[in-house]
Amino acid sequence: MEKQELFFFFDVLHKIPAPTVMLELKTFETLFMNEAALELFGVNQEEFQTVSIVTSTSPEDKQRMEACLLNAEQHSSVTGFKELNIQLRRKSGRRVFANITVSKHSLKQKNVLILTLDDLTELKKMTERNQQMQGELFRVTKLADLGRLSAGVAHEINNPLNVILAYSENLRDLITEGTFNQTDYLKNVDSIIKAVDRVSKITNKMMQMARFEEVELQAAGLDKVVRDALIFTEQKAKQLDIRIELALQSLPVFNSSPNLFTIC
């Protein structure tokens, strides 16, 4: 009867699709491995007894593995003790990852530990590949964002540069034509200074963004935004014989960054 029970017990272990290992209760010596476990550890029927579950566990997981086995050994029932994501080594040295459930059983008046392993290696590889792909996608997205940002910054800087160029050419024309006077001179110089200040604000804003500083919103009048925008357009409009008239009456105030970009 005992032989029949023993045969039935091992037959059940052989048929379990998951990698299953039997250990001696006190020494944790390997007594049995089913086909799935042999494949997992990369050994054959003649070699499985040389496999030590404890020493096959990676150094960082060894303590958790020993604690799991001891908990099962000291428990009086077949309650399973589980450890998640244990890293093991195959005979070849290749790493495998598994969730392990350990329970104590009585076999022919001898207590043993039964380990069932849920192989996570492929899932782990898939997760790592997904993380790698997400990292690549993030980098591609950041490059695309950088391209759009660079285009916007170039536009923002080109506007005041055009103003500086236009007023500088106007100053040259005034001097060349002999129509130079102090009022015109100061007007052109003031416009150039404002344009340079605008470039400075843009570059400072970019440095703030690079430092990921928190932006504090402040009240800003829409009339000021419009007047700032005219700095970049009025000289060009004058050259094209375009007259700009302002009629700013009770324009609303809104919350904005102090260095609001004016897109012209």
Side-chain angles (χ1 to χ4, degrees), residues 60-250:
E60 56 267 31
D61 292 336
K62 186 176 180 180
Q63 187 175 355
R64 288 199 296 138
M65 187 67 185
E66 289 177 334
C68 185
L69 295 176
L70 289 172
N71 282 336
E73 176 198 357
Q74 295 166 6
H75 210 271
S76 58
S77 70
V78 295
T79 302
F81 291 85
K82 180 172 286 189
E83 274 298 336
L84 302 179
N85 201 21
I86 291 286
Q87 185 179 153
L88 304 168
R89 288 194 309 274
R90 289 169 54 92
K91 179 184 176 181
S92 63
R94 185 169 66 86
R95 296 183 305 167
V96 293
F97 297 86
N99 292 338
I100 298 178
T101 302
V102 185
S103 55
K104 183 167 71 173
H105 298 263
S106 180
L107 176 63
K108 199 179 177 180
Q109 298 180 346
K110 181 178 183 179
N111 288 328
V112 296
L113 296 176
I114 301 296
L115 282 66
T116 304
L117 295 87
D118 181 15
D119 189 358
L120 304 176
T121 307
E122 290 304 317
L123 178 61
K124 191 85 172 177
K125 288 180 180 179
M126 187 179 299
T127 301
E128 290 174 354
R129 283 196 296 267
N130 287 341
Q131 290 175 344
Q132 183 179 2
M133 291 176 64
Q134 288 174 0
E136 291 296 329
L137 180 61
F138 176 76
R139 282 189 285 274
V140 170
T141 303
K142 293 301 289 183
L143 286 174
D145 290 342
L146 180 60
R148 286 191 292 269
L149 182 61
S150 298
V153 171
H155 175 77
E156 288 290 340
I157 291 179
N158 277 335
N159 278 333
L161 288 178
N162 287 333
V163 170
I164 293 172
L165 177 63
Y167 278 106
S168 298
E169 290 176 343
N170 192 45
L171 277 174
R172 183 189 60 191
D173 293 342
L174 290 174
I175 295 173
T176 302
E177 294 169 1
T179 57
F180 173 81
N181 62 68
Q182 186 175 6
T183 300
D184 289 337
Y185 174 82
L186 291 176
K187 180 180 178 182
N188 282 267
V189 169
D190 287 343
S191 296
I192 292 173
I193 291 173
K194 287 181 181 179
V196 172
D197 182 59
R198 181 63 178 171
V199 173
S200 176
K201 286 181 179 179
I202 292 170
T203 55
N204 287 337
K205 177 66 176 177
M206 293 304 302
M207 287 189 290
Q208 289 176 8
M209 291 176 64
R211 291 195 295 266
F212 296 100
E213 293 181 346
E214 184 176 351
V215 176
E216 294 183 3
L217 298 180
Q218 298 178 4
L222 190 56
D223 60 333
K224 183 179 183 302
V225 177
V226 173
R227 294 182 190 281
D228 287 345
L230 285 178
I231 293 175
F232 309 128
T233 58
E234 61 180 356
Q235 185 61 25
K236 190 69 175 178
K238 183 177 180 182
Q239 291 175 345
L240 296 173
D241 198 24
I242 297 174
R243 186 177 65 182
I244 299 175
E245 295 183 359
L246 292 181
L248 306 177
Q249 297 179 356
S250 303

